[in-house]
Every structure is written in C-alpha cells, then in structure tokens.
Amino acid sequence: MTPADLIRDDIRALRAYHVPDSAGLIKLDAMENPYPWPEALREDWLATLRHADLNRYPDPRGRDLQAALREAMGLPADMALLLGNGSDELIQMLAMAVAQPGRKVLSLDPGFVMYRMIALFAGLDYVGVPLRSEDFGLALEATLTAIAREEPALTYIAYPNNPTGNLFDAAAIERIIQASPGLVIVDEAYAPFTDQSFIPRLGEWPNLLVMRTVSKMGLAGLRLGYLAGPPEWLAEIDKVRLPYNVNTLTQASAAFALRHHAAWDAQTATIRAERATLFDALAAIDGITPYPSDANFILARTEPGRAGAVFQGLLDRGVLVKKLDGAHPLLADCLRITVGTPQENAALLNALEAALSID
Ligand SMILES: *Cc1c(COP(=O)(O)O)cnc(C)c1O
C-alpha cells in the first residue's frame, strides 16, 4: 500500500504550509511583535512558572486565564469564552462541530488562508467572495447574494483583514450578521492595533462570535486564541475540544502577561506609531504603493511584474517579507511587510531603495 491508496486526493493535492527559513534575516514576514518579553517583568514571570505543577494535567478550561482575559478585554458578563491552541485551533473546532456533506464556509478573498484550508480538512466547501478591487473594501451586495445562495454554516470576517490590513465598514458587517443563516465569526486577531471592535456588540445578534489571539500582541510563541460569544453556542463547540488543549505554561504565562498588560500596550502603541512612519516612507518611494492599515503590517504594491524581483532583492539584503503576488488575482504585484522596530524598518527601507534602483 502507498499513500496514494489511502490518503484523500484533496489532501495529497496540497502542498504543506511552507514556513521559510529566517535564520539571520530581519524577519518582517509573519506579523510578530518584534519586542521581547519586557525585561522588568522577567523575574516575576519566571517566579510564577516555578510553581507550575508540570506533573499534573493543565486546568481543562483555564479558569484563571479566562478570568484574566475577561478582565483585559472587557467581555460582557453574560458572554462565554472558549480557549484554543492558537485561534487556528478554534477555527478547526468550529469546522468539526458543523461539518456535514454539503455544508459551507464563507469568507472574503483575499483573506486569511486558514479559513479555506481548515474547511477543506474538515470536508466543508469553501466559498470566497472577492473584495472590491479598488480598495479591498467589502463588496456588500455580492456578499449578501452569496450568503443567500450558499447558506453558509460559518462566515468569517477578519477585522482588520489579513493580508490587506484594512477594516471593513462596520455597518456592512452588521448587515451580513443579520442576513446570515449560520454563525458569523468576526476575527479580531489584530485588535491591539485598532480602536474598533465587535466585542461590545456581542449579544446583539444570536449568531455573532468574536475570535481573538494573543499572537499579534507579542505572545505568538504561547499559542493561545479565544472565542467569545453566547454560552449556548460555545458549550456545543467546547465538546469537540481536546481535553487539555492549552498547556500549563501557556495558561500561567498568558494570565501573567494579561495582568501586566500595560507593558504590552506600550509595545503595541510603539508599533502603531511606527506603522504611520513606515507608511509615509513607503508612500514616498517611487514604484511602491502602500495600502492603509489598521494592523501591524502594511500591504504594498510594486510596479507590474516586479514583486518577485523586489522580494528577492530584499532577501539578498537580509530582509524577509511575505510575497503575495500569485496568491490571489487582487494581490498581483503585492508584498506584505510586518512593522518592525525603528531599526528594522529603516533597514527595510534602505534595502528597498537599493533593490529598486537596480534594474
Ligand atoms: C495571525 C492570524 C490568526 C492566527 O492566530 P493564531 O492565534 O496565531 O493561530 C487568525 N486570524 C487572522 C486573521 C490572522 O491574521
């Protein structure tokens, strides 16, 4: 027997998710916070880990961490929380809980690739509604038409969107929630970089859930995502969760960080200020068009046909960004640049000027 005899055709047709080797490079490809764990908190944090009972299984629901999360994000008291090993795992749990032949997942394209990948893994059909080509805005009429036609079990809206960085019109999202026969998950992975949120709106519609993660605020290595919404929904989705999905060290570290969130708020405020500086600098470069962003990255378009050469030119100068050209027709000639430290952003801009001047 060979893999071809056993492994599903749609799985064999995939290429494994490729994470490029970034050793020695300035890493501006993955929306990470460039700043390490705040020095002043290091000893206190390590002291809490010293008491962690690693011989025991973790608290199955992470109750202490849930309390810290509720407090930090101001969750309405009547809303429940579900924790995941990254928000990727929550997307997987949602898919497993609804998967049935013919069921659909809908999102807006270009968008976060895991919505489509996990739908495929779970045997759900994925429907991608194109964004407006001129500004990556939400095409409301086309989206409402697709929802009426496809009746998706799950609709994902990233707010702000990845990889485009923009916030969709909140009134358009409300229309989508109202019109949806299934759940609508507003994915606020980039919440630390915007003032807009649907958390205060939870409960206004019975089918709205909000998903967040600690990854982009600066704790990507912990792998912790959370889903907030009406308890009757989360109690059902909780049934497909693996018993100890969030480990003891993650629970303790994340709860500690959330109780000292001012230190991370200072980091994300710096990144927001740097985003504005970087945007202006990119806009001033001939041959580069940056798009406005409410996230910790900027989507930028090169001259037609130049994205591959510019990407490689940056790599040759030690800077890794994400090449999106080829990923979706609307992303032709596009690169995605994570906002780094002031030094990293300066190095990126220098490398970009150098890469563009060689033709
Ligand atoms: C990065 C990202 C996530 C993934 O978050 P993890 O918690 O690290 O799994 C989810 N949604 C969007 C839109 C993202 O960009």
Side-chain angles (χ1 to χ4, degrees), residues 142-185:
T143 306
L144 293 174
T145 303
I147 287 170
R149 186 183 60 234
E150 309 286 352
E151 301 183 337
L154 304 173
T155 294
Y156 285 98
I157 299 178
Y159 185 73
N161 191 42
N162 170 18
T164 56
N166 55 316
L167 280 169
F168 301 127
D169 179 38
I173 296 176
E174 291 173 23
R175 293 277 305 280
I176 288 170
I177 299 168
Q178 270 156 13
S180 293
L183 289 171
V184 176
I185 303 98

mmCIF file of all heavy atoms in Angstrom, residues 142-185:
data_model
loop_
_atom_site.group_PDB
_atom_site.id
_atom_site.type_symbol
_atom_site.label_atom_id
_atom_site.label_comp_id
_atom_site.label_asym_id
_atom_site.label_seq_id
_atom_site.Cartn_x
_atom_site.Cartn_y
_atom_site.Cartn_z
ATOM 1 N N ALA A 142 -22.647 41.748 -3.320
ATOM 2 C CA ALA A 142 -22.160 40.436 -3.768
ATOM 3 C C ALA A 142 -22.074 39.462 -2.587
ATOM 4 O O ALA A 142 -22.379 38.266 -2.718
ATOM 5 C CB ALA A 142 -20.789 40.575 -4.425
ATOM 6 N N THR A 143 -21.681 39.967 -1.423
ATOM 7 C CA THR A 143 -21.565 39.105 -0.244
ATOM 8 C C THR A 143 -22.940 38.646 0.228
ATOM 9 O O THR A 143 -23.146 37.454 0.531
ATOM 10 C CB THR A 143 -20.824 39.843 0.892
ATOM 11 O OG1 THR A 143 -19.572 40.332 0.386
ATOM 12 C CG2 THR A 143 -20.537 38.921 2.065
ATOM 13 N N LEU A 144 -23.909 39.572 0.253
ATOM 14 C CA LEU A 144 -25.269 39.192 0.673
ATOM 15 C C LEU A 144 -25.881 38.193 -0.307
ATOM 16 O O LEU A 144 -26.568 37.240 0.109
ATOM 17 C CB LEU A 144 -26.153 40.441 0.802
ATOM 18 C CG LEU A 144 -25.779 41.401 1.933
ATOM 19 C CD1 LEU A 144 -26.640 42.666 1.872
ATOM 20 C CD2 LEU A 144 -25.916 40.739 3.301
ATOM 21 N N THR A 145 -25.624 38.392 -1.595
ATOM 22 C CA THR A 145 -26.126 37.449 -2.611
ATOM 23 C C THR A 145 -25.526 36.063 -2.393
ATOM 24 O O THR A 145 -26.229 35.045 -2.436
ATOM 25 C CB THR A 145 -25.773 37.964 -4.027
ATOM 26 O OG1 THR A 145 -26.331 39.269 -4.172
ATOM 27 C CG2 THR A 145 -26.314 37.049 -5.110
ATOM 28 N N ALA A 146 -24.226 36.030 -2.116
ATOM 29 C CA ALA A 146 -23.554 34.737 -1.909
ATOM 30 C C ALA A 146 -24.087 34.059 -0.642
ATOM 31 O O ALA A 146 -24.277 32.839 -0.617
ATOM 32 C CB ALA A 146 -22.042 34.937 -1.807
ATOM 33 N N ILE A 147 -24.348 34.822 0.402
ATOM 34 C CA ILE A 147 -24.875 34.243 1.646
ATOM 35 C C ILE A 147 -26.270 33.658 1.405
ATOM 36 O O ILE A 147 -26.585 32.548 1.848
ATOM 37 C CB ILE A 147 -24.885 35.302 2.777
ATOM 38 C CG1 ILE A 147 -23.444 35.560 3.237
ATOM 39 C CG2 ILE A 147 -25.757 34.852 3.956
ATOM 40 C CD1 ILE A 147 -23.293 36.740 4.177
ATOM 41 N N ALA A 148 -27.109 34.386 0.646
ATOM 42 C CA ALA A 148 -28.461 33.879 0.351
ATOM 43 C C ALA A 148 -28.387 32.601 -0.489
ATOM 44 O O ALA A 148 -29.156 31.659 -0.278
ATOM 45 C CB ALA A 148 -29.268 34.955 -0.370
ATOM 46 N N ARG A 149 -27.439 32.553 -1.414
ATOM 47 C CA ARG A 149 -27.328 31.401 -2.315
ATOM 48 C C ARG A 149 -26.699 30.195 -1.614
ATOM 49 O O ARG A 149 -27.169 29.080 -1.738
ATOM 50 C CB ARG A 149 -26.477 31.805 -3.530
ATOM 51 C CG ARG A 149 -26.398 30.752 -4.640
ATOM 52 C CD ARG A 149 -25.478 31.220 -5.767
ATOM 53 N NE ARG A 149 -24.135 31.463 -5.286
ATOM 54 C CZ ARG A 149 -23.451 32.599 -5.452
ATOM 55 N NH1 ARG A 149 -23.968 33.605 -6.130
ATOM 56 N NH2 ARG A 149 -22.229 32.724 -4.973
ATOM 57 N N GLU A 150 -25.639 30.421 -0.856
ATOM 58 C CA GLU A 150 -24.842 29.313 -0.300
ATOM 59 C C GLU A 150 -25.294 28.883 1.098
ATOM 60 O O GLU A 150 -24.942 27.799 1.550
ATOM 61 C CB GLU A 150 -23.359 29.726 -0.220
ATOM 62 C CG GLU A 150 -22.781 30.295 -1.514
ATOM 63 C CD GLU A 150 -22.536 29.224 -2.557
ATOM 64 O OE1 GLU A 150 -22.675 28.017 -2.234
ATOM 65 O OE2 GLU A 150 -22.206 29.588 -3.702
ATOM 66 N N GLU A 151 -25.996 29.749 1.809
ATOM 67 C CA GLU A 151 -26.422 29.474 3.185
ATOM 68 C C GLU A 151 -25.291 28.889 4.030
ATOM 69 O O GLU A 151 -25.394 27.773 4.555
ATOM 70 C CB GLU A 151 -27.645 28.541 3.183
ATOM 71 C CG GLU A 151 -28.819 29.149 2.430
ATOM 72 C CD GLU A 151 -30.076 28.270 2.488
ATOM 73 O OE1 GLU A 151 -29.952 27.055 2.718
ATOM 74 O OE2 GLU A 151 -31.163 28.821 2.308
ATOM 75 N N PRO A 152 -24.183 29.616 4.176
ATOM 76 C CA PRO A 152 -23.012 29.075 4.878
ATOM 77 C C PRO A 152 -23.308 28.798 6.352
ATOM 78 O O PRO A 152 -24.007 29.568 7.010
ATOM 79 C CB PRO A 152 -21.962 30.183 4.748
ATOM 80 C CG PRO A 152 -22.750 31.438 4.513
ATOM 81 C CD PRO A 152 -23.961 31.016 3.732
ATOM 82 N N ALA A 153 -22.736 27.688 6.836
ATOM 83 C CA ALA A 153 -22.836 27.386 8.273
ATOM 84 C C ALA A 153 -21.963 28.357 9.064
ATOM 85 O O ALA A 153 -22.303 28.747 10.177
ATOM 86 C CB ALA A 153 -22.400 25.944 8.525
ATOM 87 N N LEU A 154 -20.804 28.711 8.485
ATOM 88 C CA LEU A 154 -19.860 29.617 9.140
ATOM 89 C C LEU A 154 -19.446 30.712 8.160
ATOM 90 O O LEU A 154 -19.138 30.421 7.006
ATOM 91 C CB LEU A 154 -18.591 28.864 9.563
ATOM 92 C CG LEU A 154 -18.754 27.636 10.466
ATOM 93 C CD1 LEU A 154 -17.406 26.934 10.624
ATOM 94 C CD2 LEU A 154 -19.319 28.033 11.823
ATOM 95 N N THR A 155 -19.434 31.961 8.621
ATOM 96 C CA THR A 155 -18.918 33.068 7.821
ATOM 97 C C THR A 155 -17.844 33.764 8.643
ATOM 98 O O THR A 155 -18.091 34.153 9.793
ATOM 99 C CB THR A 155 -20.048 34.055 7.466
ATOM 100 O OG1 THR A 155 -20.979 33.386 6.603
ATOM 101 C CG2 THR A 155 -19.505 35.298 6.757
ATOM 102 N N TYR A 156 -16.645 33.870 8.078
ATOM 103 C CA TYR A 156 -15.530 34.524 8.768
ATOM 104 C C TYR A 156 -15.279 35.905 8.185
ATOM 105 O O TYR A 156 -15.191 36.062 6.959
ATOM 106 C CB TYR A 156 -14.242 33.703 8.603
ATOM 107 C CG TYR A 156 -14.216 32.467 9.443
ATOM 108 C CD1 TYR A 156 -14.563 31.228 8.901
ATOM 109 C CD2 TYR A 156 -13.860 32.520 10.784
ATOM 110 C CE1 TYR A 156 -14.541 30.079 9.668
ATOM 111 C CE2 TYR A 156 -13.844 31.380 11.561
ATOM 112 C CZ TYR A 156 -14.177 30.167 10.999
ATOM 113 O OH TYR A 156 -14.166 29.032 11.775
ATOM 114 N N ILE A 157 -15.138 36.890 9.071
ATOM 115 C CA ILE A 157 -14.766 38.239 8.645
ATOM 116 C C ILE A 157 -13.605 38.691 9.525
ATOM 117 O O ILE A 157 -13.768 38.856 10.745
ATOM 118 C CB ILE A 157 -15.956 39.211 8.785
ATOM 119 C CG1 ILE A 157 -17.093 38.735 7.891
ATOM 120 C CG2 ILE A 157 -15.528 40.633 8.425
ATOM 121 C CD1 ILE A 157 -18.336 39.585 7.969
ATOM 122 N N ALA A 158 -12.434 38.841 8.930
ATOM 123 C CA ALA A 158 -11.271 39.318 9.688
ATOM 124 C C ALA A 158 -11.342 40.841 9.757
ATOM 125 O O ALA A 158 -11.494 41.513 8.731
ATOM 126 C CB ALA A 158 -9.981 38.862 9.029
ATOM 127 N N TYR A 159 -11.214 41.367 10.987
ATOM 128 C CA TYR A 159 -11.499 42.783 11.238
ATOM 129 C C TYR A 159 -10.464 43.332 12.202
ATOM 130 O O TYR A 159 -10.641 43.131 13.416
ATOM 131 C CB TYR A 159 -12.928 42.873 11.805
ATOM 132 C CG TYR A 159 -13.501 44.247 12.045
ATOM 133 C CD1 TYR A 159 -13.898 45.052 10.988
ATOM 134 C CD2 TYR A 159 -13.673 44.730 13.349
ATOM 135 C CE1 TYR A 159 -14.462 46.308 11.218
ATOM 136 C CE2 TYR A 159 -14.240 45.980 13.578
ATOM 137 C CZ TYR A 159 -14.631 46.756 12.506
ATOM 138 O OH TYR A 159 -15.190 47.998 12.734
ATOM 139 N N PRO A 160 -9.369 43.964 11.703
ATOM 140 C CA PRO A 160 -8.961 44.220 10.320
ATOM 141 C C PRO A 160 -8.651 42.930 9.546
ATOM 142 O O PRO A 160 -8.427 41.891 10.143
ATOM 143 C CB PRO A 160 -7.672 45.036 10.479
ATOM 144 C CG PRO A 160 -7.637 45.513 11.883
ATOM 145 C CD PRO A 160 -8.410 44.526 12.676
ATOM 146 N N ASN A 161 -8.619 43.073 8.211
ATOM 147 C CA ASN A 161 -8.397 41.922 7.357
ATOM 148 C C ASN A 161 -6.903 41.655 7.160
ATOM 149 O O ASN A 161 -6.100 42.576 7.093
ATOM 150 C CB ASN A 161 -9.047 42.164 5.985
ATOM 151 C CG ASN A 161 -9.095 40.910 5.133
ATOM 152 O OD1 ASN A 161 -9.402 39.820 5.625
ATOM 153 N ND2 ASN A 161 -8.777 41.035 3.853
ATOM 154 N N ASN A 162 -6.556 40.375 7.059
ATOM 155 C CA ASN A 162 -5.230 39.926 6.658
ATOM 156 C C ASN A 162 -5.416 39.230 5.314
ATOM 157 O O ASN A 162 -6.290 38.372 5.235
ATOM 158 C CB ASN A 162 -4.690 38.939 7.723
ATOM 159 C CG ASN A 162 -3.427 38.231 7.297
ATOM 160 O OD1 ASN A 162 -2.744 38.649 6.383
ATOM 161 N ND2 ASN A 162 -3.111 37.130 7.976
ATOM 162 N N PRO A 163 -4.689 39.548 4.278
ATOM 163 C CA PRO A 163 -3.436 40.310 4.222
ATOM 164 C C PRO A 163 -3.580 41.765 3.772
ATOM 165 O O PRO A 163 -2.567 42.371 3.417
ATOM 166 C CB PRO A 163 -2.651 39.531 3.159
ATOM 167 C CG PRO A 163 -3.705 39.155 2.156
ATOM 168 C CD PRO A 163 -4.959 38.908 2.979
ATOM 169 N N THR A 164 -4.793 42.325 3.761
ATOM 170 C CA THR A 164 -4.929 43.662 3.182
ATOM 171 C C THR A 164 -4.770 44.769 4.229
ATOM 172 O O THR A 164 -4.466 45.911 3.879
ATOM 173 C CB THR A 164 -6.296 43.801 2.464
ATOM 174 O OG1 THR A 164 -7.344 43.492 3.400
ATOM 175 C CG2 THR A 164 -6.391 42.851 1.278
ATOM 176 N N GLY A 165 -5.014 44.468 5.511
ATOM 177 C CA GLY A 165 -4.747 45.431 6.587
ATOM 178 C C GLY A 165 -5.885 46.386 6.903
ATOM 179 O O GLY A 165 -5.845 47.072 7.920
ATOM 180 N N ASN A 166 -6.906 46.431 6.022
ATOM 181 C CA ASN A 166 -7.977 47.422 6.229
ATOM 182 C C ASN A 166 -9.084 46.884 7.131
ATOM 183 O O ASN A 166 -9.245 45.678 7.306
ATOM 184 C CB ASN A 166 -8.568 47.843 4.870
ATOM 185 C CG ASN A 166 -9.055 46.672 4.043
ATOM 186 O OD1 ASN A 166 -8.388 45.655 3.943
ATOM 187 N ND2 ASN A 166 -10.227 46.801 3.466
ATOM 188 N N LEU A 167 -9.863 47.823 7.690
ATOM 189 C CA LEU A 167 -11.085 47.489 8.425
ATOM 190 C C LEU A 167 -12.247 47.595 7.458
ATOM 191 O O LEU A 167 -12.361 48.596 6.744
ATOM 192 C CB LEU A 167 -11.313 48.526 9.531
ATOM 193 C CG LEU A 167 -10.550 48.428 10.841
ATOM 194 C CD1 LEU A 167 -10.756 49.712 11.630
ATOM 195 C CD2 LEU A 167 -11.007 47.228 11.655
ATOM 196 N N PHE A 168 -13.132 46.619 7.453
ATOM 197 C CA PHE A 168 -14.336 46.739 6.624
ATOM 198 C C PHE A 168 -15.320 47.668 7.317
ATOM 199 O O PHE A 168 -15.236 47.897 8.518
ATOM 200 C CB PHE A 168 -14.965 45.363 6.390
ATOM 201 C CG PHE A 168 -14.047 44.392 5.722
ATOM 202 C CD1 PHE A 168 -13.809 43.145 6.276
ATOM 203 C CD2 PHE A 168 -13.402 44.728 4.542
ATOM 204 C CE1 PHE A 168 -12.953 42.244 5.652
ATOM 205 C CE2 PHE A 168 -12.547 43.831 3.912
ATOM 206 C CZ PHE A 168 -12.318 42.587 4.473
ATOM 207 N N ASP A 169 -16.269 48.153 6.528
ATOM 208 C CA ASP A 169 -17.322 49.020 7.038
ATOM 209 C C ASP A 169 -18.162 48.255 8.088
ATOM 210 O O ASP A 169 -18.703 47.182 7.805
ATOM 211 C CB ASP A 169 -18.184 49.447 5.842
ATOM 212 C CG ASP A 169 -19.333 50.336 6.265
ATOM 213 O OD1 ASP A 169 -19.122 51.169 7.164
ATOM 214 O OD2 ASP A 169 -20.439 50.180 5.719
ATOM 215 N N ALA A 170 -18.255 48.815 9.298
ATOM 216 C CA ALA A 170 -18.955 48.117 10.385
ATOM 217 C C ALA A 170 -20.432 47.919 10.057
ATOM 218 O O ALA A 170 -21.020 46.877 10.393
ATOM 219 C CB ALA A 170 -18.787 48.876 11.698
ATOM 220 N N ALA A 171 -21.052 48.891 9.376
ATOM 221 C CA ALA A 171 -22.475 48.764 9.030
ATOM 222 C C ALA A 171 -22.681 47.615 8.040
ATOM 223 O O ALA A 171 -23.694 46.901 8.096
ATOM 224 C CB ALA A 171 -22.999 50.076 8.441
ATOM 225 N N ALA A 172 -21.720 47.400 7.145
ATOM 226 C CA ALA A 172 -21.809 46.283 6.197
ATOM 227 C C ALA A 172 -21.704 44.950 6.942
ATOM 228 O O ALA A 172 -22.428 43.995 6.636
ATOM 229 C CB ALA A 172 -20.712 46.398 5.142
ATOM 230 N N ILE A 173 -20.843 44.891 7.942
ATOM 231 C CA ILE A 173 -20.716 43.658 8.736
ATOM 232 C C ILE A 173 -22.020 43.384 9.484
ATOM 233 O O ILE A 173 -22.483 42.234 9.550
ATOM 234 C CB ILE A 173 -19.511 43.753 9.701
ATOM 235 C CG1 ILE A 173 -18.209 43.854 8.899
ATOM 236 C CG2 ILE A 173 -19.472 42.546 10.642
ATOM 237 C CD1 ILE A 173 -16.960 44.054 9.731
ATOM 238 N N GLU A 174 -22.645 44.424 10.010
ATOM 239 C CA GLU A 174 -23.941 44.239 10.693
ATOM 240 C C GLU A 174 -24.968 43.628 9.751
ATOM 241 O O GLU A 174 -25.720 42.721 10.128
ATOM 242 C CB GLU A 174 -24.467 45.581 11.208
ATOM 243 C CG GLU A 174 -23.641 46.139 12.346
ATOM 244 C CD GLU A 174 -24.077 47.563 12.720
ATOM 245 O OE1 GLU A 174 -25.233 47.929 12.426
ATOM 246 O OE2 GLU A 174 -23.241 48.292 13.277
ATOM 247 N N ARG A 175 -25.005 44.123 8.513
ATOM 248 C CA ARG A 175 -25.950 43.580 7.517
ATOM 249 C C ARG A 175 -25.679 42.093 7.286
ATOM 250 O O ARG A 175 -26.607 41.289 7.153
ATOM 251 C CB ARG A 175 -25.819 44.341 6.180
ATOM 252 C CG ARG A 175 -26.256 45.797 6.231
ATOM 253 C CD ARG A 175 -27.766 45.965 6.074
ATOM 254 N NE ARG A 175 -28.291 45.329 4.863
ATOM 255 C CZ ARG A 175 -28.237 45.860 3.636
ATOM 256 N NH1 ARG A 175 -27.700 47.056 3.448
ATOM 257 N NH2 ARG A 175 -28.751 45.218 2.602
ATOM 258 N N ILE A 176 -24.391 41.738 7.231
ATOM 259 C CA ILE A 176 -24.019 40.338 6.989
ATOM 260 C C ILE A 176 -24.456 39.456 8.160
ATOM 261 O O ILE A 176 -24.987 38.360 7.967
ATOM 262 C CB ILE A 176 -22.501 40.244 6.737
ATOM 263 C CG1 ILE A 176 -22.185 40.835 5.358
ATOM 264 C CG2 ILE A 176 -21.999 38.807 6.849
ATOM 265 C CD1 ILE A 176 -20.724 41.016 5.083
ATOM 266 N N ILE A 177 -24.251 39.946 9.384
ATOM 267 C CA ILE A 177 -24.654 39.164 10.567
ATOM 268 C C ILE A 177 -26.173 38.930 10.520
ATOM 269 O O ILE A 177 -26.659 37.810 10.718
ATOM 270 C CB ILE A 177 -24.250 39.876 11.870
ATOM 271 C CG1 ILE A 177 -22.729 40.066 11.945
ATOM 272 C CG2 ILE A 177 -24.737 39.086 13.086
ATOM 273 C CD1 ILE A 177 -22.261 41.015 13.050
ATOM 274 N N GLN A 178 -26.911 40.012 10.221
ATOM 275 C CA GLN A 178 -28.375 39.907 10.174
ATOM 276 C C GLN A 178 -28.850 38.932 9.099
ATOM 277 O O GLN A 178 -29.816 38.195 9.300
ATOM 278 C CB GLN A 178 -28.987 41.272 9.863
ATOM 279 C CG GLN A 178 -29.283 42.084 11.102
ATOM 280 C CD GLN A 178 -29.321 43.575 10.801
ATOM 281 O OE1 GLN A 178 -29.360 43.984 9.638
ATOM 282 N NE2 GLN A 178 -29.301 44.379 11.842
ATOM 283 N N ALA A 179 -28.152 38.940 7.969
ATOM 284 C CA ALA A 179 -28.612 38.148 6.821
ATOM 285 C C ALA A 179 -28.142 36.701 6.879
ATOM 286 O O ALA A 179 -28.596 35.888 6.071
ATOM 287 C CB ALA A 179 -28.108 38.796 5.524
ATOM 288 N N SER A 180 -27.246 36.371 7.809
ATOM 289 C CA SER A 180 -26.637 35.034 7.801
ATOM 290 C C SER A 180 -27.495 34.005 8.515
ATOM 291 O O SER A 180 -27.908 34.215 9.654
ATOM 292 C CB SER A 180 -25.257 35.087 8.466
ATOM 293 O OG SER A 180 -24.384 35.846 7.662
ATOM 294 N N PRO A 181 -27.719 32.850 7.842
ATOM 295 C CA PRO A 181 -28.455 31.775 8.496
ATOM 296 C C PRO A 181 -27.573 30.992 9.463
ATOM 297 O O PRO A 181 -28.083 30.214 10.276
ATOM 298 C CB PRO A 181 -28.876 30.885 7.320
ATOM 299 C CG PRO A 181 -27.809 31.095 6.291
ATOM 300 C CD PRO A 181 -27.339 32.520 6.456
ATOM 301 N N GLY A 182 -26.239 31.180 9.389
ATOM 302 C CA GLY A 182 -25.304 30.455 10.258
ATOM 303 C C GLY A 182 -24.585 31.411 11.193
ATOM 304 O O GLY A 182 -25.010 32.554 11.406
ATOM 305 N N LEU A 183 -23.476 30.926 11.754
ATOM 306 C CA LEU A 183 -22.671 31.749 12.656
ATOM 307 C C LEU A 183 -21.793 32.710 11.852
ATOM 308 O O LEU A 183 -21.286 32.357 10.791
ATOM 309 C CB LEU A 183 -21.757 30.859 13.509
ATOM 310 C CG LEU A 183 -22.434 30.020 14.591
ATOM 311 C CD1 LEU A 183 -21.427 29.032 15.186
ATOM 312 C CD2 LEU A 183 -22.994 30.926 15.684
ATOM 313 N N VAL A 184 -21.606 33.911 12.380
ATOM 314 C CA VAL A 184 -20.643 34.852 11.812
ATOM 315 C C VAL A 184 -19.551 35.053 12.856
ATOM 316 O O VAL A 184 -19.839 35.414 14.008
ATOM 317 C CB VAL A 184 -21.298 36.195 11.454
ATOM 318 C CG1 VAL A 184 -20.239 37.193 10.961
ATOM 319 C CG2 VAL A 184 -22.377 35.990 10.388
ATOM 320 N N ILE A 185 -18.306 34.773 12.457
ATOM 321 C CA ILE A 185 -17.177 34.908 13.371
ATOM 322 C C ILE A 185 -16.365 36.116 12.934
ATOM 323 O O ILE A 185 -15.763 36.122 11.856
ATOM 324 C CB ILE A 185 -16.284 33.646 13.376
ATOM 325 C CG1 ILE A 185 -17.117 32.413 13.748
ATOM 326 C CG2 ILE A 185 -15.120 33.815 14.357
ATOM 327 C CD1 ILE A 185 -17.580 31.585 12.584
#
